[in-house]
Amino acid sequence: MAHFAELDTNNVVLRVIVVNNAITADAYGAEKEEIGVAFCERFIGGTWKQTSYNGNIRKHYAGIGYTYDAGRDAFITPQPYPSWALDADADWQAPVPMPDDGKAYRWDEPTISWVEVVPAT
């Protein structure tokens, strides 16, 4: 099955639908994004981009609220915190790396730092 994301005028994902592979195939049986997009536009309307569960295309599987970045040809997840920045691989990164000491941490935006999660006793 092929998956297609509908985009609004700001390239934000509105919904993701499943389309049978047979509908997206050319005369030789090869799946073509443009055939799937044309199908979605003809029967539903709107603007569509193909997405994939395994990240083979467009970095991330699209979800509602994700943004399609045409320059990166990638779906970008919503920014988790205002201080985090998008890296070259289209992933959000904290301004401070999470400690790698085996302990559990959570991000604390007001202090722009990782705070150890201490289990309740």
Side-chain angles (χ1 to χ4, degrees), residues 24 35 39 51 93 109:
T24 67
I35 295 171
F39 171 83
T51 187
Q93 299 297 324
E109 185 65 14

Side-chain angles (χ1 to χ4, degrees), residues 4-118:
F4 289 85
E6 182 180 16
L7 309 176
D8 70 9
T9 56
N10 295 313
N11 284 341
V12 175
V13 176
L14 299 172
R15 61 181 159 172
V16 178
I17 64 168
V18 179
V19 176
N20 188 302
N21 286 342
I23 292 172
T24 67
D26 65 13
Y28 302 102
E31 184 180 324
K32 303 283 186 177
E33 177 178 12
E34 58 271 16
I35 295 171
V37 166
F39 171 83
C40 294
E41 290 172 348
R42 186 170 52 253
F43 289 100
I44 301 171
T47 302
W48 298 85
K49 289 287 182 185
Q50 190 169 9
T51 187
S52 71
Y53 273 123
N54 55 19
N56 282 344
I57 59 171
R58 305 208 163 92
K59 180 62 178 165
H60 300 283
Y61 179 74
I64 294 171
Y66 286 33
T67 302
Y68 173 68
D69 182 321
R72 289 184 170 94
D73 192 27
F75 286 105
I76 309 297
T77 60
Q79 186 175 15
Y81 299 98
S83 65
W84 288 34
L86 202 58
D87 68 15
D89 291 326
D91 292 314
W92 293 104
Q93 299 297 324
V96 177
M98 185 171 70
D100 187 18
D101 57 9
K103 297 177 184 177
Y105 290 88
R106 67 171 177 79
W107 181 252
D108 184 57
E109 185 65 14
T111 62
I112 311 294
S113 64
W114 293 99
V115 176
E116 184 180 352
V117 176
V118 180

